């Protein structure tokens, strides 16, 4: 296809940011700015059997691939549509059997290589930005990221080398993996559960802001970009690359580490929410600044320790980690402090896994109001907690509270996902069934 652009927007050179996306007309809150099909995508392994490999539909009557017995589809049409991409993985899975274990990014890159060989023209996902234009930031990568790249390249060669003729050379693969790691997207459902990974070149064109005026959601494998603030002609269109719960220094550190730039958005320069996010418990004798700094250091360490522990500790051990860390941090931090909220959220997740519904509800009730303050309007993080609370209340036969929570989730989702999204329709049906 020719470079057709995206109606109502244009690619431009953003001051101090490089290329970006600018509005050419007014967009109201909740209005669809543009959609973008995935250039390539993969369903995460953990969701196989629950979601269609091709369209990501969530259903129970899926049919499995007759060859690999691993991929599932809605019907023959979905299976045929996915075959040009799945055939590579299908033969590799059959050959490696139980030893087949490439990472999600390796699976995605394999598909990109295949797609690039059959796509000779600009695709519908590249109306403004070509995938080959992605920044790789190879000159800014540290030794740890270099080693991760080498590991991924080795895995690609091991699992796919026999099935992709003439793999690109080491230099080209290094650049491609770096491009995907810096510009890829994770597809999530309405409760922010991870469904898969994808590349959306036109969505990647948008620059970051910690006070974004659009939000990206997904309808199947198609990305939809909607306004969450009024956007006027000439305004730059900003997405958020990261979780916005955390204070300025944490956000800046994450952005620099993952995307190689120092954020200078209004939220970062004014630090307007930092005091609320870092609220200290009201004590008769306020803690010394050194004690607060020490506790912040502890909080960051325990968050990282918990992330690693999820791979080897039991749910009961993980819950104990959450409880002990909250007890220690609670000596200085208020319950609304974002580090406390982080561990409460983790504890809620563990309780849900353990089917401790009362425990999960207790944590969810503590989280939701501070979340509503700390996150921007129409946050999917807030909507997902309301959804979880709604389902918990209904499961515990607290019907009125359940309907109220689902209604609050719905109000956010109608803006973020759009009123015609199937997630919105599902929540409406659930509310109606309990009224």
């Amino acid at each position: 296809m020719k470079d057709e652009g995206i109606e109502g927007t244009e690619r431009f050179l953003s001051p101090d940011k490089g290329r970006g996306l600018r509005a050419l007309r007014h967009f109201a809150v909740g209005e669809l700015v543009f959609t973008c099909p995935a250039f390539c995508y993969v369903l995460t392994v953990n969701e196989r059997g629950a979601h269609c490999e091709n369209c990501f539909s969530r259903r129970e009557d899926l049919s499995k691939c007759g060859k690999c017995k691993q991929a599932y589809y809605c019907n023959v049409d979905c299976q045929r549509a996915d075959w040009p991409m799945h055939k590579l993985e299908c033969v590799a899975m059959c050959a490696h059997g139980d030893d087949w274990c490439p990472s999600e990014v390796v699976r995605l890159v394999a598909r990109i290589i295949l797609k690039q060989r059959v796509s000779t023209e600009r695709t519908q996902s590249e109306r403004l930005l070509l995938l080959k234009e992605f920044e790789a930031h190879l000159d800014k990568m540290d030794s740890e990221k270099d080693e991760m790249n080498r590991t991924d390249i080795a895995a690609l060669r091991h699992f796919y080398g026999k099935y992709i003729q003439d793999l690109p050379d080491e230099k080209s693969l290094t650049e491609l993996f770096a491009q995907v790691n810096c510009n890829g997207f994770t597809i999530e459902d309405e409760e922010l559960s991870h469904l898969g990974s994808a590349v959306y070149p036109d969505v990647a064109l948008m620059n970051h802001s910690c006070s974004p005026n659009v939000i990206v959601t997904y309808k199947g494998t198609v990305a939809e970009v909607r306004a969450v603030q009024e956007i006027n002609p000439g305004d730059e269109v900003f997405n958020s690359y990261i979780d916005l719960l955390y204070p300025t220094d944490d956000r800046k550190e994450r952005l620099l580490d993952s995307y190689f730039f120092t954020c200078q958005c209004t939220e970062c320069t004014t630090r307007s929410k930092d005091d609320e996010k870092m609220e200290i418990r009201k004590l008769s004798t306020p803690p010394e600044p050194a004690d607060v700094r020490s506790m912040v250091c502890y909080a960051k360490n325990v968050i990282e320790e918990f992330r690693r522990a999820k791979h080897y500790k039991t749910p009961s051990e993980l819950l104990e980690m959450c409880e002990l860390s909250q007890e220690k941090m609670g000596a200085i931090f208020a319950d609304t402090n974002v580090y406390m909220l982080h561990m409460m959220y983790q504890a809620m997740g563990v309780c849900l896994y353990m089917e401790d519904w009362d425990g999960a509800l207790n944590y969810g009730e503590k989280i939701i109001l501070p979340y509503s303050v700390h996150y921007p309007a129409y946050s999917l993080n807030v909507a997902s907690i309301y959804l979880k609370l709604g389902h918990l209340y209904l499961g515990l036969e607290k019907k009125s509270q359940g309907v109220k929570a689902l209604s609050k989730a719905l109000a956010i989702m109608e803006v973020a996902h759009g009123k015609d999204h199937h997630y919105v329709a599902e929540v409406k049906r659930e509310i109606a069934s309990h009224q």
Side-chain angles (χ1 to χ4, degrees):
M1 62 172 285
K2 296 180 180 179
D3 182 0
E4 297 178 355
I6 296 174
E7 185 179 355
T9 68
E10 66 175 355
R11 174 173 166 169
F12 81 117
L13 190 62
S14 178
D16 302 321
K17 296 183 178 68
R19 60 199 176 209
L21 187 68
R22 179 165 57 193
L24 295 177
R25 68 170 181 84
H26 174 263
F27 290 95
V29 171
E31 187 174 354
L32 183 68
V33 179
F34 70 96
T35 65
C36 181
F39 182 90
C40 272
Y41 59 89
V42 288
L43 181 74
T44 194
V45 171
N46 291 339
E47 292 298 330
R48 281 184 160 158
H51 291 262
C52 174
E53 200 92 9
N54 178 61
C55 69
F56 281 29
S57 290
R58 179 173 56 201
R59 49 194 294 177
E60 297 179 356
D61 58 342
L62 299 171
S63 301
K64 68 173 66 173
C65 171
K67 293 185 178 181
C68 67
K69 306 288 195 296
Q70 299 293 318
Y72 289 75
Y73 298 96
C74 296
N75 48 45
V76 173
D77 291 339
C78 273
Q79 187 169 8
R80 285 175 179 163
D82 192 48
W83 181 244
M85 289 290 108
H86 176 62
K87 63 183 177 182
L88 169 67
E89 200 164 80
C90 188
V91 67
M93 285 193 293
C94 290
H96 287 278
D98 292 340
D99 295 328
W100 187 84
C101 58
S103 68
E104 205 160 292
V105 70
V106 169
R107 294 173 59 213
L108 182 59
V109 167
R111 290 186 172 214
I112 290 171
I113 293 169
L114 197 64
K115 176 76 172 280
Q116 288 178 323
R117 290 184 176 179
V118 299
S119 298
T120 56
E121 295 185 350
R122 183 185 290 265
T123 67
Q124 278 288 337
S125 60
E126 301 172 294
R127 288 173 289 175
L128 292 175
L129 182 70
L130 295 169
L131 187 146
K132 66 183 181 182
E133 293 182 90
F134 280 178
E135 293 282 359
H137 299 291
L138 291 174
D139 58 324
K140 299 173 184 174
M141 290 173 61
D142 56 24
S143 58
E144 183 180 353
K145 287 186 174 61
D146 283 335
E147 179 58 33
M148 288 174 61
N149 249 5
R150 286 193 291 270
T151 300
D152 284 338
I153 291 170
L156 180 73
R157 294 191 187 283
H158 175 72
F159 290 108
Y160 295 97
K162 293 181 181 178
Y163 315 107
I164 301 178
Q165 290 187 347
D166 302 319
L167 273 173
D169 59 27
E170 193 83 3
K171 181 180 178 182
S172 299
L173 287 175
T174 298
E175 181 176 21
L176 181 55
F177 271 104
Q179 288 173 316
V180 171
N181 282 323
C182 195
N183 295 277
F185 289 80
T186 57
I187 300 176
E188 297 171 324
D189 68 10
E190 73 275 35
E191 291 193 2
L192 301 187
S193 295
H194 180 79
L195 298 183
S197 298
V199 282
Y200 298 97
D202 287 338
V203 183
L205 175 62
M206 293 185 291
N207 286 313
H208 165 85
S209 172
C210 297
S211 181
N213 53 15
V214 298
I215 195 166
V216 182
T217 55
Y218 303 93
K219 185 177 286 184
T221 62
V222 175
E224 297 188 329
V225 179
R226 281 188 170 76
V228 290
Q229 296 183 30
E230 294 283 333
I231 301 174
N232 294 310
D235 287 350
E236 181 163 1
V237 180
F238 288 111
N239 181 30
S240 172
Y241 295 176
I242 59 170
D243 189 334
L244 297 173
L245 177 66
Y246 304 95
T248 301
D249 289 340
D250 291 23
R251 298 196 309 273
K252 284 192 165 189
E253 183 180 341
R254 168 72 193 283
L255 289 165
L256 187 60
D257 179 65
S258 298
Y259 301 100
F260 309 102
F261 70 91
T262 300
C263 187
Q264 298 294 339
C265 73
T266 302
E267 201 62 49
C268 283
T269 54
T270 63
R271 298 174 175 261
S272 62
K273 293 185 176 181
D274 281 6
D275 287 345
E276 281 183 314
K277 291 184 175 186
M278 292 300 298
E279 189 171 354
I280 305 302
R281 188 170 297 282
K282 291 178 173 58
L283 303 169
S284 55
T285 304
E288 295 292 329
D291 293 331
V292 175
R293 288 193 297 270
S294 176
M295 192 60 75
V296 169
C297 184
Y298 165 79
K300 291 181 178 181
N301 287 337
V302 80
I303 286 171
E304 177 58 25
E305 183 184 347
F306 185 87
R307 186 187 66 80
R308 293 194 301 266
K310 285 195 283 190
H311 298 292
Y312 62 86
K313 284 186 179 289
T314 66
S316 295
E317 290 171 332
L318 291 172
L319 188 58
E320 184 179 15
M321 275 188 73
C322 293
E323 291 167 347
L324 290 174
S325 64
Q326 289 174 65
E327 184 178 348
K328 181 168 182 175
M329 289 189 293
I332 289 181
F333 295 157
D335 285 352
T336 57
N337 184 291
V338 295
Y339 297 128
M340 292 284 284
L341 293 171
H342 180 102
M343 296 312 295
M344 289 180 195
Y345 181 79
Q346 300 302 324
M348 183 182 185
V350 176
C351 287
L352 287 170
Y353 181 82
M354 296 172 67
E355 299 186 0
D356 175 6
W357 310 131
D358 288 312
L361 182 62
N362 179 53
Y363 280 115
E365 289 176 333
K366 290 180 179 178
I367 290 169
I368 189 59
L369 291 181
Y371 260 36
S372 301
V373 172
H374 296 328
Y375 277 109
Y378 310 111
S379 165
L380 296 177
N381 300 79
V382 177
S384 71
I385 296 295
Y386 273 126
L387 280 176
K388 290 183 174 79
L389 282 173
H391 296 145
L392 286 166
Y393 282 131
L394 293 176
L396 295 169
E397 298 184 356
K398 299 180 178 181
K399 189 169 73 171
S400 63
Q401 290 167 284
V403 168
K404 184 177 180 181
L406 291 180
S407 298
K408 286 183 177 293
L410 182 64
I412 297 171
M413 293 171 67
E414 285 186 329
V415 172
H417 290 87
K419 294 183 178 181
D420 63 342
H421 199 288
H422 57 274
Y423 289 158
V424 169
E426 288 173 9
V427 176
K428 283 183 175 179
R429 284 195 296 268
E430 193 166 7
I431 291 172
S433 70
H434 290 92
Q435 286 181 327

